[in-house]
């Protein structure tokens, strides 16, 4: 389950779709993730997306934009991405990108 989310972290998959892909109920998926990782599948995927975005921001060329990286990492709303990023890393994505 975790590998599926890691491999397809940027795709807009619902919890139901993920559960169907691995052949279990949504409830079992949610309970299993909570038991194994201490978070819901949605939070786990958000954390993956934020981590990948952070890595990309740190390694980006000067002509890369925050919006480009956010979109590649599965964020469709720039404001929500910026807020979640700030909560996780204590700074804005643009500060990370531009140093």
């Amino acid at each position: 389950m975790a590998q599926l989310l890691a491999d397809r972290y940027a795709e807009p998959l619902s919890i139901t779709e993920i559960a169907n892909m691995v052949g279990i109920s949504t409830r079992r998926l949610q309970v299993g993730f909570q038991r194994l990782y201490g978070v819901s599948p949605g939070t786990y995927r958000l954390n993956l997306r934020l981590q990948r975005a952070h890595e990309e921001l740190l390694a980006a060329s000067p002509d890369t934009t925050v919006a480009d990286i956010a979109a590649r990492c599965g964020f469709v709303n720039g404001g929500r991405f910026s807020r979640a990023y700030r909560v996780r890393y204590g700074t804005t994505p643009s500060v990370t990108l531009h140093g």
Side-chain angles (χ1 to χ4, degrees):
M1 290 184 286
Q3 189 60 49
L4 173 68
L5 287 178
D7 292 343
R8 300 176 73 173
Y9 71 94
E11 295 179 34
L13 299 171
S14 71
I15 298 304
T16 302
E17 289 171 314
I18 295 165
N20 288 339
M21 288 176 169
V22 296
I24 61 175
S25 69
T26 55
R27 180 73 182 140
R28 186 169 177 203
L29 177 68
Q30 292 167 334
V31 169
F33 255 85
Q34 192 66 44
R35 187 176 298 133
L36 288 171
Y37 303 106
V39 295
S40 70
T43 298
Y44 186 89
R45 183 172 50 184
L46 173 63
N47 290 337
L48 283 172
R49 287 177 174 175
L50 288 170
Q51 179 183 342
R52 301 284 168 88
H54 181 70
E55 291 166 359
E56 285 198 36
L57 288 164
L58 290 172
S61 64
D63 61 332
T64 304
T65 68
V66 170
D68 291 339
I69 291 172
R72 277 198 304 270
C73 292
F75 292 97
V76 294
N77 182 300
R80 287 185 185 155
F81 166 64
S82 291
R83 281 189 297 280
Y85 188 91
R86 193 174 330 110
V87 167
R88 172 88 182 264
Y89 293 102
T91 190
T92 64
S94 59
V95 168
T96 302
L97 177 62
H98 300 295

